Amino acid sequence: MSEEPVVEGQEEKQKVFPDEYWQYDREGAYRTIKAMPDHIRAGYRLGEGVRPARSFSRVVVAGMGGSGIAGDLLKELVDYDNDTKVVVETAKGYDAPKTVDGDTLLIAVSYSGNTEETLSTYKTAARKGCQVLLVSSGGKLEELAKVNRHQHLKLPKDLQPRMAVAYLFFPLLRVLENAGVVKSYAQEVDELAAALRRQDVSAKAAELSGKCYGKTPLIYADQSFYPVAYRWKTQFNENAKTTSFCHAFSEMNHNELLSFENRAGAYHAFFLSTDKEHRRVAKRIALAKDVLQQKGVSVTEINIKGPLLKQVFTTIYLGDLTSFFLALRYGTDPTPVELIERFKRDLGPFLI
Ligand code: F6R
């Protein structure tokens, strides 16, 4: 399907958000976030020719931060699929999980290709004789793929890792499809990209950013939708440079529910619900929302209908834009993550 690229004119921008704020988007984050439908299609295409050489029953996705979320989302989707033939695990440390063996496909994902935890997990896993797929836009992962003759999937350059989420996730989904361990998502991917283009969620996101301005955003979702809540949290952290926390149902009913006796006005709670939770969880969400409201927490419920893939990426798209607008409200450029980069430099070289 050929479609015009998304172009946002100045006039259109002014309609969703006051003119004076746009100056803070110095590196064009809005345009990049709004290009998600294109990233989805292109990312899915990237995985087209990538086919694991032999069968496997376990997938381990190693990756941190904006790259690591691809593994969390893959796990969420595969766990939901009753017909799937594999188990997905994520690895976010230095060592490969103990479960890695010859029956494992290890996917190491790092947008830069230089994240030390991911490189280290790859090295320790490769020694255990698993199949390997390396995913990056370049860096050491690409170099190591050449040296060790491991399959490498190259991503386009010049994006912030977290803004490349669709490029990081959709090739992985396609690879599992190619291996015949999950159903074909071709039609859902196409419909998702088309739906994201059609819906203009910018105005809604701008409104939501106003609700959590000056407060700490809290994000709650069913355990099965937790990676999406976590994505919202981390986008508030990295784009708006503000604290944000998330928790899952029904665990939050056993602890965090109590925390609003004091300072309730300091928070805005987003409840991300789907129509796929256990019916008792749906009831818990409704009740918890009331409890928080009664305590004085301002609350918004987000409920996107449709197949899980659509729910996941539509909710992520809305969250990405909400954190973008919150950044502008704070006079913050959403794109740079200087402190993360300086922290990595301060750690000094890591020899694996
Ligand atoms: C920055 C971002 C970070 C990085 C993380 C790991 O936009 O999202 O969370 O993703 O520091 O780096 P990469 O993705 O290069 O492995």
Side-chain angles (χ1 to χ4, degrees), residues 124-151:
T124 51
R127 282 189 212 119
K128 294 173 153 204
C130 57
Q131 285 193 85
V132 171
L133 171 63
L134 305 177
V135 182
S136 76
S137 65
K140 290 200 188 106
L141 268 189
E142 187 178 21
E143 286 167 24
L144 288 168
K146 282 187 194 126
V147 174
N148 298 330
R149 295 167 183 266
H150 281 141
Q151 211 165 14

Side-chain angles (χ1 to χ4, degrees), residues 270-283:
F270 291 100
F271 287 83
L272 310 182
S273 64
T274 66
D275 44 4
K276 296 176 178 52
E277 304 96 356
H278 189 286
R279 63 188 163 77
R280 296 293 288 172
V281 171
K283 189 163 184 184

